[in-house]
Amino acid sequence: MTTQEHSVIAENLSKGFVQGEEHITVLEQLNLTLNYGEVIAILGPSGSGKSTLLNILGLLSTPDEGTYVLDEEDTSALNAKERALLRLHKIAFVFQAFHLIDHKNVFKNVELPLIYQGVPPQERAERVKAIIERLGLSHRLYAKINTLSGGEKQRVAIARALVTEPKVLLCDEPTGSLDAERTQEVIALLREVTGEEQTTIVVTHDSDVARECDRCLRVESGRLVEDTRYRPSANTAQRVKDSSVVPVHAIEMNRPRWFVASIKEAFDASIHRMRRNLFTMFAVALGIASLVLTVGLTATISGQLSDAFDVFLAQRVTLEETSKTPMTQEQILELEQSAPYKNLKNLHGVKNVALMKQVVSGAIVTSAPVLGQANYFQGTTPVDASVYRATSSVFVAQGQNLIAGRLFDQGHSQRADQVAVVGEGLLQRLNITWSEGLYLYVKGVPISIIGVVSENPSLSETYASIYVPLGSKLTLKDAGSISTEPLKIILATDPGATNQVGQEAVYTISPDRPGKFTAVLPPEPKTLRNAVDTQQKNLLIAMSLVTLSIGAIGIMNTFLVAVIERRKEIGLRLAIGTDPRGILLQIAAESIMVSVIGTIAGIVLAVNIIAVVCLINQWTPIIGAETIGIGLLSGLLVGVLAGLYPAFKASRVEPVQTLSEG
Ligand code: ADP
Ligand code: MG
């Protein structure tokens, strides 16, 4: 129970406006004292200053002079935020034009002030349902606003005003858009819901409305005078003084929840305005997609090895004998059986080890035994080839697959069989195909060809060669030039292991004298990096930024238009009492949400395009965290920058002006 009796004490209020050249005084030295529990009518002709007074009482506008004490609190010293907070907790408005938010249903419209107050959801739902039931609208609880009749809309607006249990309920021509019957209903309702600790002010020019109120005041030349023509009618005299219906409870004034509430409202509005924002999102998506595409594709292309040549070579280390007096045949065979050679296989990162020694290069090879005569048999046109002694592992180490016959083995080597495996390129040059029992003649010396291996295009120096077992006794004197090529140990390695293997292998193969072999490492892999030069990349990024800017301007434009279009909604939120910072935050957050959704769509688009391009080119896509990060960050930046100005405009909306519009 309150101990004081006056809800409103206004003394010597004056308010004027500048209209064009002249200054007009609307209110002049106006005095007003209202009691709790009262429903009063304020009458006066159009333009007499009724709305001006109501806006001052509602803390939407400040008087030029005079004092206004609301619920024992002098309001003249309050700043904008404190006024908003006081409005949120102690004042409520009902307008002629209802000012309901179209994208929210009945429940959510009524719930709005409680969200701004920071009331927890459970309690919110209970209070909203209770007040809606009280106003006889339970059957329309989740109805869309545009399906309601005028009378129903005004009842929803009254429910929204009452749900916070305000001290002062300010109604500006609440029945102006209603027919006589609805007018009666609404006034009776206002009469009924005004509790003992509340005051309701009804501005009207309808004498029937005035007749239903406890007192009637009239604005005359800027002052209020008591109008005694309207006596309270019999039924309103026995008004329901039931404060338990809408109990006034302690107001928590010190905990504004505008931040959370505004984010929530932004989310809500974004979902409902998704279709309107679709094209704006699309513009952002395109900008972000082209940016991510440029950055991502450049990274992907730069990361590609130029071709399979590099991939193969990048996984091969060759140990070459350094001595000027090369090893003899016996020493090579010893080496192959030695522990150091076998240990190479166990080095970390080594997949395969092979030994090879060129015997002759440029040996004359024919497919028939006749050589050195004027006429060769048909099909025996000689070709030049190199002959290598090698372990049978050489083919795996060189990436050559058996395509016909078989490989030689340890037995062939030990018996020094006169057998060989040839690269298929040699048979192609000789223009013959392999069949069991094929012999080739190296300067007339017959060699049985037991198998054919494919050629590795990465290894041009051993293309179309002849391989004989390591233990072969072939000397092939004057078959070609005796080779000076050093003995080679080929190590096939894991990707990226070449440096490590190269360093360790020279010690492993010759622990006492590491200089005996030198490791030949593959060249730095050549990449496609040069394919996209910096200039082109910068040009592409510049173009992406242009597209992105168009997206940003799109957002800004959309939201500036939206702020104009929604200024009644924004005005209403401010009138309810949200902090102006809350409006700024809400619009900025909406802009960021639009931008972020567009950004995500853009990134998804770009990643898919990169994947397809990689699939076609058989590249490995390289989409790093930083590529995605650049996209996300740009999108966020666009949202913030584009939303800031519209948000600022929104926070500067004048509720007094927007709400008086029809
Ligand atoms: P009522 O509500 O009684 O019809 P108002 O209070 O709306 O009257 O307006 C009173 C007078 O003050 C009118 O002449 C109106 O043109 C003027 N007025 C109200 N608001 C403004 C304003 N923001 N700027 C200039 N003149 C205003
Ligand atoms: Mg008015």
Side-chain angles (χ1 to χ4, degrees), residues 556-599:
M556 195 181 307
N557 188 50
T558 306
F559 276 85
L560 276 177
V561 171
V563 165
I564 293 169
E565 185 188 288
R566 293 163 74 188
R567 69 192 191 287
K568 287 200 178 76
E569 176 198 324
I570 293 164
L572 171 85
R573 290 175 188 274
L574 288 165
I576 284 175
T578 188
D579 197 300
R581 287 173 295 176
I583 295 296
L584 191 129
L585 182 68
Q586 179 182 335
I587 301 299
E590 284 184 33
S591 153
I592 290 169
M593 282 179 209
V594 166
S595 182
V596 165
I597 293 171
T599 298

Side-chain angles (χ1 to χ4, degrees), residues 293-488:
L293 208 56
T294 306
V295 176
L297 220 44
T298 309
T300 297
I301 290 172
S302 303
Q304 301 314 309
L305 297 174
S306 58
D307 52 79
F309 177 79
D310 282 321
V311 177
F312 179 79
L313 287 189
Q315 299 178 38
R316 217 171 73 128
V317 175
T318 308
L319 298 179
E320 289 182 359
E321 187 188 6
T322 54
S323 171
K324 285 201 183 77
T325 50
M327 285 190 206
T328 62
Q329 169 78 339
E330 284 69 36
Q331 284 171 324
I332 292 174
L333 287 171
E334 255 171 54
L335 178 70
E336 196 228 349
Q337 296 301 321
S338 71
Y341 178 80
K342 286 180 176 156
N343 286 342
L344 285 175
K345 180 105 212 242
N346 299 328
L347 278 179
H348 189 70
V350 171
K351 294 195 295 194
N352 202 286
V353 182
L355 232 164
M356 66 189 285
K357 172 80 177 97
Q358 196 179 47
V359 185
V360 285
S361 63
I364 299 164
V365 180
T366 56
S367 57
V370 185
L371 196 70
Q373 298 173 6
N375 303 316
Y376 299 127
F377 287 112
Q378 270 196 337
T380 61
T381 311
V383 299
D384 290 351
S386 295
V387 181
Y388 291 90
R389 283 200 188 93
T391 57
S392 58
S393 59
V394 75
F395 304 111
V396 175
Q398 295 202 127
Q400 294 177 287
N401 304 316
L402 183 70
I403 50 177
R406 62 196 176 97
L407 300 180
F408 45 73
D409 55 30
Q410 203 65 34
H412 289 116
S413 183
Q414 276 156 14
R415 293 188 303 269
D417 286 347
Q418 202 98 317
V419 296
V421 171
V422 295
E424 76 176 310
L426 182 67
L427 298 188
Q428 279 163 7
R429 282 182 180 173
L430 285 166
N431 203 16
I432 54 171
T433 55
W434 183 84
S435 61
E436 191 73 51
L438 174 72
Y439 273 83
L440 289 181
Y441 299 85
V442 181
K443 190 85 186 214
V445 179
I447 301 175
S448 169
I449 307 303
I450 58 169
V452 183
V453 291
S454 63
E455 301 289 357
N456 183 341
S458 302
L459 299 173
S460 51
E461 77 265 30
T462 57
Y463 182 82
S465 289
I466 300 172
Y467 300 90
V468 296
L470 202 63
S472 171
K473 293 267 168 20
L474 271 175
T475 51
L476 298 171
K477 276 199 187 103
D478 50 78
S481 4
I482 295 298
S483 178
T484 53
E485 221 186 71
L487 173 73
K488 288 179 179 178

Side-chain angles (χ1 to χ4, degrees), residues 32 68 89-90 113 140 204 281 386 395-396 425 481 557:
L32 174 67
Y68 168 31
H89 289 276
K90 293 195 175 178
R140 313 293 327 249
T204 183
M281 286 178 196
S386 295
F395 304 111
V396 175
S481 4
N557 188 50

Side-chain angles (χ1 to χ4, degrees), residues 15-19 24-27 44-55 172-173 203 219 656-657 660:
K15 180 79 177 175
F17 297 102
V18 178
Q19 277 186 348
I24 59 155
T25 305
V26 180
L27 304 180
S46 185
S48 58
K50 303 183 296 293
S51 295
T52 303
L53 174 61
L54 218 57
N55 290 333
D172 198 348
E173 313 216 18
V203 162
V219 185
V656 170
Q657 271 160 35
S660 60

